């Protein structure tokens, strides 16, 4: 029984059928990069982002996506990071409620 289940799973989960979880939906990674970028300004921020984008592009291409699709995914990740940074800025500037 276990062997037949294992064969079924191997057949159903072949590499060509498995999709990597999109990087723009990896909340921990988005928040981590947003926090780092939030503490950097100017050229250090630009350098950090370029290095991170290159690293992510290589990661996505390595997972089997073509370069164009991988670039699109990195762009969506950058937009997610920007949204996270904006949400953090909005939360920080919102007046607190007092009891």
């Amino acid at each position: 029984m276990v062997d037949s289940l294992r064969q079924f799973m191997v057949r159903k989960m072949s590499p060509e059928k498995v999709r990597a979880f999109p990087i723009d939906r990896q909340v921990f990674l988005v928040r981590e990069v947003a926090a780092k970028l939030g503490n950097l300004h100017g050229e250090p921020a630009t350098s950090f982002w370029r290095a991170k984008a290159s690293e992510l592009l290589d990661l996505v291409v390595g997972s089997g996506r073509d370069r164009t699709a991988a670039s699109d995914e990195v762009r969506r990740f950058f937009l997610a990071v920007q949204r996270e940074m904006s949400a953090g800025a909005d939360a920080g500037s919102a007046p607190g409620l007092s009891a």
Side-chain angles (χ1 to χ4, degrees), residues 1-14:
M1 177 71 171
V2 172
D3 286 333
S4 62
L5 179 60
R6 185 175 297 127
Q7 289 173 350
F8 173 77
M9 293 301 290
V10 168
R11 192 170 45 246
K12 289 290 185 186
M13 298 195 58
S14 61

Side-chain angles (χ1 to χ4, degrees), residues 12-69:
K12 289 290 185 186
M13 298 195 58
S14 61
E16 62 274 359
K17 293 182 181 179
V18 174
R19 295 280 183 223
F21 194 68
I23 58 175
D24 63 306
R25 296 187 188 164
Q26 295 181 25
V27 176
F28 179 80
L29 182 59
V30 169
R31 288 181 178 163
E32 179 180 57
V33 171
K36 179 72 173 178
L37 279 174
N39 291 321
L40 298 173
H41 303 284
E43 185 55 38
T46 302
S47 294
F48 171 76
W49 172 248
R50 285 183 181 151
K52 181 55 75 176
S54 178
E55 174 188 328
L56 292 171
L57 183 63
D58 290 345
L59 178 74
V60 175
V61 168
S63 73
R65 305 284 304 266
D66 66 74
R67 197 155 187 86
T68 301

